[in-house]
Amino acid sequence: DVRLWLQWARLCDLSNDTNTTAPPSHVLTMALERTPLTNGKEQMMISLQLFGALLKEATRRTNSSNNIMLQLEKLMERMLLLSAGANYTAPFSEDHQSDDNADESVFGIRTVADACLQYLSCSISSGEINAARKVYSQVLFRSNYGGSGQHKTVAELETMKEFVNECIQVELNNSDDDDKKKKKQLLGRLYNAAIQLFEESNPSLADSYRSQRRDAHVRFASN
């Protein structure tokens, strides 16, 4: 039962005895391996919490952060594949005050959109723009999840809006004079992805990104 695995991971996270208690990520990895692929919702629930556990461990174990980032990349790919055409990209209760702990996330990652945003934030904190580009390319350019507003809750769409804005800001803040051509191309692709993502769910927001795209084109043309 997925609830037992999540409760076990929660207890491991609360334990101060790191010598005898397995890291939550180990527990959740076992849970993922033992959950049938046919059970998509439980696979997604465990994957989201494993993602959160790895992010938390990355802040504690800086000496192994490269390995953790690799695990995050593979796990993100898994979740994006699981989300294709699915209606369980937000498998946890929308009610944060719910008394049913079975529906509450253990590590604060409630949706695929949450994972995308936290993954981007983690990559930005590394100070490497290529790390951030790798994340947003994976989500927006190479996945169905980032290419459509379908099957997303209102909360997911709000988080994806924040994700897209952070991606755009990453490029706008990039001051590398040798990278202007690439920056212009990537900004264009980001605006196009944003328009496609919100075209149906929020047409006015899509129009706003069209306006931003025009402004960016004029700005680059004048430089």
Side-chain angles (χ1 to χ4, degrees):
D1 190 311
V2 66
R3 291 171 296 184
L4 297 178
W5 286 109
L6 296 183
Q7 288 169 10
W8 185 7
R10 187 195 305 273
L11 291 173
C12 289
D13 186 53
L14 293 173
S15 174
N16 293 320
D17 188 356
T18 57
N19 292 322
T20 59
T21 304
S25 62
H26 288 197
V27 174
L28 293 167
T29 297
M30 286 192 296
L32 202 57
E33 292 171 350
R34 288 163 173 75
T35 301
L37 286 171
T38 52
N39 194 334
K41 182 177 180 179
E42 290 196 355
Q43 278 269 331
M44 184 65 80
M45 292 176 76
I46 296 166
S47 295
L48 288 169
Q49 296 320 295
L50 176 55
F51 200 89
L54 289 169
L55 283 172
K56 190 170 184 178
E57 289 173 23
T59 64
R60 295 174 175 173
R61 298 156 51 191
T62 54
N63 61 328
S64 58
S65 59
N66 287 340
N67 180 51
I68 291 177
M69 290 303 292
L70 181 60
Q71 292 180 67
L72 288 170
E73 181 182 353
K74 291 180 178 179
L75 188 56
M76 175 58 71
E77 190 68 33
R78 182 190 189 100
M79 290 189 294
L80 292 173
L81 288 171
L82 276 172
S83 70
N87 59 358
Y88 43 73
T89 55
F92 292 95
S93 170
E94 289 290 323
D95 180 8
H96 290 246
Q97 304 301 318
S98 172
D99 291 329
D100 184 2
N101 288 333
D103 287 336
E104 291 301 310
S105 64
V106 179
F107 295 97
I109 307 293
R110 308 177 65 81
T111 68
V112 174
D114 286 342
C116 293
L117 182 59
Q118 293 302 317
Y119 189 25
L120 180 66
S121 298
C122 184
S123 69
I124 291 174
S125 67
S126 72
E128 293 287 338
I129 190 169
N130 285 332
R133 285 172 171 171
K134 189 173 185 179
V135 171
Y136 73 62
S137 295
Q138 182 181 20
V139 175
L140 294 175
F141 303 159
R142 301 198 303 272
S143 79
N144 290 331
Y145 183 82
S148 170
Q150 291 184 331
H151 306 297
K152 292 180 178 61
T153 65
V154 172
E156 280 184 282
L157 288 170
E158 280 298 311
T159 303
M160 286 305 293
K161 175 185 173 182
E162 189 175 351
F163 175 82
V164 168
N165 289 340
E166 284 287 337
C167 295
I168 291 170
Q169 203 59 47
V170 163
E171 292 301 337
L172 291 176
N173 291 342
N174 177 27
S175 58
D176 188 348
D177 290 337
D178 297 329
D179 212 16
K180 283 186 177 180
K181 183 177 180 180
K182 186 174 184 178
K183 176 179 178 177
K184 178 182 177 181
Q185 292 174 337
L186 288 171
L187 272 172
R189 291 189 70 187
L190 283 171
Y191 285 125
N192 290 341
I195 292 165
Q196 181 177 330
L197 177 59
F198 295 104
E199 189 75 79
E200 294 183 9
S201 62
N202 193 336
S204 62
L205 180 58
D207 286 341
S208 173
Y209 285 121
R210 285 190 181 91
S211 178
Q212 292 179 50
R213 183 179 60 185
R214 285 193 297 269
D215 292 343
H217 180 74
V218 170
R219 185 166 60 250
F220 277 104
S222 62
N223 290 338

